[in-house]
């Protein structure tokens, strides 16, 4: 298991906003196994929390390594499963890791999914509130693909929403996708939330998002998910 990192770019300044950490598994027999296959297995076998703890630890370790090299990555976004959010121990784990590696909480963002939003029970909401109280960012992933995102958006202490890549992919063919994306960006701005758009692959898409006022863009136009060493090379080429 390894973490790959995909850059996120400030749309207006073309500076590095941060990176998203993405788990990758290479099996000795099966080869590269996509997350869509191994994440459900980890959930079914009860290993998803351990995977989440490993991801958080590896991200903190990597941030310190980059800092030591003189490569400043402002923030890393980490995906945490809905199951892990049910654990009251999660905020304590995050605090312990930040203390161990000497990192400020602002350098870590936890991504939640529609599944977490649907579980608005007392335990989950207490975990979410505790994470934000630490100062760690909270991002809603794949915004726009679920049915309850909009109605519950204002109830969560979010710092960021991520517009799903499917909307950007259909910009040129689907006026509806364009309108929904623009509306989502406006909603985020009215709520004071940073808006990240995934799946940006062309300059035309990027220019349209910039015109809409999107804060941060992420996609193959800027960089693919890569191992840490390759990210260091990308950073040197992209920023000189």
């Amino acid at each position: 298991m390894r973490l790959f990192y995909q850059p996120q770019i400030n749309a207006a300044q073309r500076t590095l906003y941060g990176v998203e950490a993405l788990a990758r598994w290479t099996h000795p027999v099966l080869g590269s196994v996509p997350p869509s296959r191994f994440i459900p297995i980890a959930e079914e076998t009860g290993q998803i929390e351990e995977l989440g703890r490993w991801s958080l630890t590896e991200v903190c370790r990597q941030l310190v390594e980059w800092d030591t090299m003189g490569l400043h990555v402002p923030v890393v976004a980490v995906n945490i499963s809905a199951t892990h959010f049910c654990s009251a121990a999660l905020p304590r784990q995050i605090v312990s890791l930040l203390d161990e590696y000497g990192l400020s909480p602002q350098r870590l963002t936890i991504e939640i999914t529609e599944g977490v939003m649907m579980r608005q029970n007392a335990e989950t909401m207490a975990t979410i509130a505790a994470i934000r109280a630490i100062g760690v960012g909270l991002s809603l992933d794949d915004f726009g693909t679920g049915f309850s995102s909009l109605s519950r958006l204002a109830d969560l202490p979010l710092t960021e929403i991520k517009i799903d890549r499917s909307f950007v992919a259909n910009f040129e063919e689907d006026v509806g996708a364009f309108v929904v994306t623009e509306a989502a960006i406006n909603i985020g701005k009215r709520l004071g939330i940073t808006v990240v758009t995934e799946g940006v692959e062309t300059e035309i898409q990027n220019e349209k998002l910039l015109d809409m006022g999107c804060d941060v863009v992420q996609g193959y136009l800027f960089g693919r998910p890569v191992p840490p060493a390759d990210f260091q090379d990308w950073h040197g080429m992209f920023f000189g």
Side-chain angles (χ1 to χ4, degrees):
M1 190 74 68
R2 295 191 296 168
L3 287 182
F4 280 33
Y5 297 89
Q6 185 172 30
Q8 300 171 321
I9 306 296
N10 287 303
Q13 298 84 16
R14 289 272 182 144
T15 56
L16 184 65
Y17 171 80
V19 296
E20 180 182 4
L22 299 158
R24 296 290 184 264
W25 180 30
T26 303
H27 189 276
V29 177
L30 301 175
S32 179
V33 181
S36 58
R37 289 189 62 189
F38 70 75
I39 293 296
I41 293 172
E43 291 176 337
E44 290 172 10
T45 57
Q47 299 179 79
I48 194 65
E49 285 191 45
E50 180 59 33
L51 179 57
R53 285 192 291 269
W54 172 80
S55 296
L56 287 167
T57 303
E58 181 61 16
V59 159
C60 291
R61 185 203 64 77
Q62 187 60 63
L63 272 173
V64 171
E65 182 175 316
W66 279 331
D67 285 348
T68 302
M69 297 171 56
L71 194 167
H72 180 65
V73 176
V75 62
V76 179
V78 186
N79 294 277
I80 297 296
S81 74
T83 302
H84 202 173
F85 259 92
C86 293
S87 172
L90 179 59
R92 296 195 299 272
Q93 294 166 6
I94 293 172
V95 169
S96 177
L97 285 170
L98 292 173
D99 289 343
E100 179 182 352
Y101 288 94
L103 295 168
S104 65
Q106 291 75 23
R107 299 191 67 188
L108 187 64
T109 290
I110 303 299
E111 292 193 2
I112 65 175
T113 63
E114 181 82 4
V116 175
M117 290 190 68
M118 296 296 288
R119 296 186 182 188
Q120 284 200 342
N121 52 47
E123 293 80 8
T124 300
M125 294 307 293
T127 298
I128 289 173
I131 288 173
R132 281 298 297 127
I134 296 166
V136 170
L138 194 65
S139 177
L140 177 61
D141 199 13
D142 299 334
F143 178 71
T145 59
F147 294 102
S148 65
S149 297
L150 189 58
S151 62
R152 300 187 180 184
L153 191 61
D155 297 332
L156 294 172
L158 298 171
T159 57
E160 180 183 291
I161 57 174
K162 298 187 74 176
I163 298 174
D164 187 69
R165 66 184 66 247
S166 61
F167 292 101
V168 179
N170 294 322
F171 262 4
E172 297 180 14
E173 298 83 12
D174 187 352
V175 175
F178 187 92
V179 171
V180 169
T181 302
E182 188 173 38
I185 291 172
N186 289 332
I187 290 168
K189 288 191 170 297
R190 292 292 295 273
L191 292 173
I193 298 172
T194 298
V195 180
V196 180
T197 302
E198 298 180 291
V200 182
E201 298 186 357
T202 69
E203 280 292 353
I204 293 175
Q205 293 171 342
N206 186 54
E207 289 170 6
K208 288 182 178 180
L209 289 167
L210 187 58
D211 290 341
M212 292 179 191
C214 182
D215 301 303
V216 179
V217 284
Q218 177 180 346
Y220 289 175
L221 177 63
F222 304 100
R224 294 172 177 267
V226 292
D230 291 348
F231 175 77
Q232 291 149 210
D233 293 339
W234 170 89
H235 190 275
M237 292 186 294
F238 198 86
F239 295 108

